[in-house]
């Protein structure tokens, strides 16, 4: 069965610090990969996605993620976080062999950025 | 374009009752997926509908059901509510049912079962 693991449950950083959130998935086939963000009081929003091609993908608000197929990983990075990045971040996987758009989510990482 | 809308936003029910939640997808989107979000289990896939047909189903009991109408709006129903059904129910829409299509989420319906 597919699964997604996010390494950190809660990360606390100061503004301007660099961010890396880990995500590993378990699935033997070809996958599509996503990072979603949920700001306090708001709904889930897509940060970035990887379907194919360049394994380094850039998303909104300065976020990027790198797909490393050999490590089954899709880590999220940002060189300098801001207070407004405080949110919960979810990694998700969609197996291309599945019918339709069933997303498997990680447990989420809560990011707190101190001003 | 208006985003995904869900009604109602909040619901309080008692054990044994049933509940119906509604989702209107982004205009032009034909696929609607439902997810349950709880602090313990996180985000879990319930089912997906495309062109009024269920395309995929998660590991939830038969008390959870859904349907989609010809205008792509979707409803999900939970019968014989249990305390553990208290959760945020999220609806997501996408243009097609393809695995490579991006899902856009609504604000959710917060269901509390007493």
């Amino acid at each position: 069965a597919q699964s997604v693991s996010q390494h950190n449950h809660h990360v606390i950083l100061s503004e301007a610090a660099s961010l890396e959130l880990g995500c590993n998935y378990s699935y033997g086939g070809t996958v599509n990969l996503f990072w979603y963000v949920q700001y306090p009081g708001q709904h889930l929003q897509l940060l970035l996605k990887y379907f194919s091609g360049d394994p380094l993908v850039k998303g909104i608000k300065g976020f990027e993620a790198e797909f490393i197929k050999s490590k089954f990983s899709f880590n999220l990075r940002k060189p300098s976080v801001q207070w407004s990045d405080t949110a919960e971040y979810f990694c998700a996987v969609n197996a291309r062999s599945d019918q339709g758009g069933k997303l498997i989510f990680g447990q989420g990482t809560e990011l707190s950025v101190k001003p | 374009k208006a985003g995904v809308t869900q009604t109602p936003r909040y619901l309080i029910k008692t054990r044994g009752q049933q509940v119906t939640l509604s989702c209107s997808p982004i205009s032009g989107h034909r696929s609607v997926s439902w997810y349950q979000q709880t602090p313990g289990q996180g985000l879990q896939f319930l089912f997906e509908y495309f062109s009024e047909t269920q395309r995929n189903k998660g590991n939830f009991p038969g008390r959870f059901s859904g349907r989609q109408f010809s205008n792509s709006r979707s409803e999900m129903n939970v019968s014989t509510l249990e305390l553990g059904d208290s959760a945020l129910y999220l609806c997501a829409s996408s243009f097609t049912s393809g695995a490579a299509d991006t899902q856009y989420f609504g604000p959710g319906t917060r269901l509390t079962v007493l």
Side-chain angles (χ1 to χ4, degrees), chain B residues 43-59:
Chain B
L43 279 150
Q44 294 186 288
F45 173 79
L46 279 156
F47 29 65
E48 180 195 13
Y49 286 87
F50 178 74
S51 293
E52 302 177 66
T53 302
Q54 188 178 86
R55 292 293 306 275
N56 214 332
K57 190 176 190 303
N59 295 324

Side-chain angles (χ1 to χ4, degrees), chain B:
Chain B
K1 265 188 185 177
V4 177
T5 58
Q6 294 186 244
T7 57
R9 293 293 309 279
Y10 302 91
L11 263 181
I12 299 175
K13 293 284 187 179
T14 55
R15 277 184 302 172
Q17 288 187 308
Q18 76 163 17
V19 68
T20 299
L21 312 182
S22 181
C23 171
S24 292
I26 292 170
S27 178
H29 284 193
R30 295 164 60 197
S31 174
V32 172
S33 297
W34 288 89
Y35 295 83
Q36 182 195 65
Q37 185 176 21
T38 60
Q41 300 298 316
L43 279 150
Q44 294 186 288
F45 173 79
L46 279 156
F47 29 65
E48 180 195 13
Y49 286 87
F50 178 74
S51 293
E52 302 177 66
T53 302
Q54 188 178 86
R55 292 293 306 275
N56 214 332
K57 190 176 190 303
N59 295 324
F60 280 82
R63 301 184 297 107
F64 291 81
S65 63
R67 59 178 177 167
Q68 187 180 35
F69 302 95
S70 57
N71 63 357
S72 295
R73 189 177 69 85
S74 177
E75 289 181 346
M76 68 162 280
N77 184 278
V78 188
S79 62
T80 320
L81 284 166
E82 300 177 0
L83 295 178
D85 296 334
S86 293
L88 181 67
Y89 289 88
L90 295 172
C91 166
S93 77
S94 58
F95 184 67
T96 69
S97 180
D101 210 348
T102 301
Q103 294 182 36
Y104 296 90
F105 284 81
T109 294
R110 173 78 60 187
L111 172 64
T112 302
V113 182
L114 303 176

